[in-house]
Amino acid sequence: MEEPIVRNKTAIQGILSTDPQYILDKVFEKELITHRDYNNLRSIEKGTAEDHVIKLVDNLIFKGRQAEFVKVLQCDDVLETFPQLRDLDWEHTGSTFSCSTLKRRICISQGDPSSSSQSLFSDTNAKPPFLDYQSPSESLRCVFGKLGFQVEVRSDLTAGRIRSVLEDLGKRSFVAADVLVVCVLSHGDKECVFGTDGLKVALGDMRRPFTSERAPTLAGKPKLFFIQACQGSNLQRGALPQFQSGGSLEEDAGPLPAELVAEDADFLMGMATVQDCKSFRNTSTGSIFIQELCRQLLVSAKRPDDLLSTLTRVNREVSRGNYFMSKQMPQPMYTLTKKLVLTEMTIVEH
């Protein structure tokens, strides 16, 4: 079985590079390296912080000290210094995405959702805007910045420009990235969003540039889409619950060979509303879905919680509201193959 240090090597190196001297001192204290190794690694003059950590990790792997290094990395004081180490898959359960530190990317594509009068409502008891931002895009920029993403913003895009921006993004190399997030704020209809020219862009067309076939450097990595847009013109109503038993089971399809990644694997579409229904924007505090998403992402970053638990709380909080005597029910749809945990971190430019 592959050693956890080798399996998580890239993530470990990225995490430890935030304080290379600390981890060098720690492994020397635990006698995993000799005094000569310590002096040689400390005296390296050229290279980035991550280069120094790479040489340290390679040294420990070469000497067969992986098991002892794992124990060092799981010490309480080390985990306090590098909390992102908790997110790694040490037991090889394959249940959690390995997100290193400084390798995340987000692109926010913002339309102009302010002109749809039917999706507006006013509520004096509404939650205050997230961090006092009126703009959903500013809230997203703030939150994903805290989560360690490099944020790019593309505003007021026509349908053609939405497609071309996403096509160009999909052509980039994501070898050094571990997560991609795309947020789209616009008007929409069933399974589509609108550009500023009023033309449609299908949700499937937005995902297509990032499939494992089209973007192989994103294969096996989570690709998250958050869509703030109506998905129809209906108003969703509420009803009192009725409890009943019953259910059905479906057969599992057999697992795919380990070396293959399904073309549409590891996508998540976080929709502001279910199909055929409207989403709402408070005239004072902005988009209900985006504000709650930002709020819950930061709550989860501190616990930490996996993304699906976060979106479940978003569903609950948004669905509790009343909008035009109607309801809004967000809908995450996903093909993720592992859990994803996003924690707060600082981007370090090398």
Side-chain angles (χ1 to χ4, degrees):
M1 181 181 294
E2 189 179 33
E3 291 285 347
I5 294 298
V6 175
R7 188 172 64 251
N8 294 296
K9 184 180 178 183
T10 300
I12 290 170
Q13 289 168 171
I15 293 169
L16 299 182
S17 66
T18 58
D19 194 343
Q21 188 61 52
Y22 177 89
I23 196 61
L24 179 61
D25 291 342
K26 183 60 65 173
V27 297
F28 180 62
E29 173 191 321
K30 299 295 184 180
E31 300 182 347
L32 300 191
I33 58 175
T34 65
H35 195 275
R36 179 180 180 182
D37 290 333
Y38 177 82
N39 287 332
N40 287 339
L41 290 166
R42 188 175 60 173
S43 63
I44 297 173
E45 296 181 357
K46 296 182 179 180
T48 65
E50 193 165 10
D51 292 332
H52 287 227
V53 174
I54 289 172
K55 292 182 182 299
L56 171 62
V57 174
D58 286 345
N59 180 292
L60 294 170
I61 292 174
F62 178 75
K63 293 184 175 182
R65 310 301 294 268
Q66 296 100 309
E68 297 132 299
F69 190 33
V70 169
K71 292 180 180 178
V72 170
L73 296 180
Q74 293 180 335
C75 292
D76 290 342
D77 54 341
V78 175
L79 290 174
E80 184 176 348
T81 304
F82 306 106
Q84 296 85 6
L85 290 172
R86 295 188 178 94
D87 300 340
L88 300 184
D89 183 15
W90 296 108
E91 302 300 326
H92 199 26
T93 61
S95 62
T96 304
F97 284 106
S98 175
C99 294
S100 60
T101 57
L102 326 162
K103 311 297 186 183
R104 300 175 178 174
R105 297 291 185 271
I106 175 174
C107 172
I108 301 175
S109 172
Q110 182 189 14
D112 176 22
S114 62
S115 62
S116 176
S117 61
Q118 292 204 22
S119 62
L120 301 180
F121 78 104
S122 178
D123 182 359
T124 56
N125 296 317
K127 293 181 180 179
F130 179 78
L131 297 180
D132 294 327
Y133 287 118
Q134 297 294 327
S135 165
S137 63
E138 286 301 314
S139 294
L140 290 167
R141 182 198 288 271
C142 171
V143 170
F144 281 104
K146 286 178 178 290
L147 297 177
F149 285 80
Q150 295 179 351
V151 180
E152 302 176 16
V153 179
R154 303 289 185 268
S155 299
D156 301 324
L157 302 181
T158 64
R161 282 290 294 146
I162 291 175
R163 291 190 185 92
S164 64
V165 165
L166 295 178
E167 288 284 349
D168 291 343
L169 184 62
K171 292 175 182 176
R172 298 186 193 180
S173 172
F174 291 92
V175 170
D178 53 30
V179 185
L180 171 71
V181 175
V182 176
C183 300
V184 179
L185 291 76
S186 186
H187 302 299
D189 205 340
K190 185 175 181 179
E191 297 184 354
C192 73
V193 299
F194 294 121
T196 54
D197 53 1
L199 299 180
K200 296 181 179 181
V201 181
L203 299 182
D205 290 343
M206 294 167 55
R207 293 191 302 268
R208 193 165 294 114
F210 309 103
T211 63
S212 60
E213 182 179 10
R214 298 279 296 274
T217 58
L218 276 173
K221 300 175 182 180
K223 300 159 280 284
L224 315 178
F225 288 72
F226 295 106
I227 312 296
Q228 170 55 50
C230 294
Q231 288 295 287
S233 58
N234 294 336
L235 296 176
Q236 189 170 159
R237 305 301 179 185
L240 293 176
Q242 294 182 358
F243 300 100
Q244 58 183 6
S245 61
S248 60
L249 297 175
E250 294 182 355
E251 277 190 13
D252 289 330
L256 290 173
E259 68 272 12
L260 297 179
V261 176
E263 187 174 355
D264 292 303
D266 297 315
F267 280 93
L268 180 140
M269 301 291 291
M271 308 299 297
T273 182
V274 295
Q275 190 169 289
D276 299 326
C277 290
K278 283 186 170 295
S279 61
F280 293 92
R281 183 175 64 87
N282 189 290
T283 54
S284 299
T285 61
S287 162
I288 306 304
F289 172 67
I290 294 298
Q291 294 288 344
E292 195 60 46
L293 173 66
C294 290
R295 187 176 287 108
Q296 295 300 336
L297 281 171
L298 287 191
V299 169
S300 291
K302 292 179 171 61
R303 292 188 176 184
D305 278 339
D306 70 277
L307 183 61
L308 296 185
S309 297
T310 304
L311 294 178
T312 299
R313 291 200 305 274
V314 172
N315 285 357
R316 181 174 64 248
E317 294 301 317
V318 173
S319 66
R320 283 175 171 172
N322 289 293
Y323 321 105
F324 283 147
M325 300 299 291
S326 300
K327 291 288 187 177
Q328 178 174 333
M329 187 67 245
Q331 183 181 30
M333 300 176 288
Y334 66 94
T335 59
L336 298 179
T337 58
K338 302 177 185 178
K339 291 182 179 180
L340 174 62
V341 178
L342 299 176
T343 54
E344 290 192 34
M345 57 184 63
T346 302
I347 295 177
V348 178
E349 298 291 349
H350 294 318

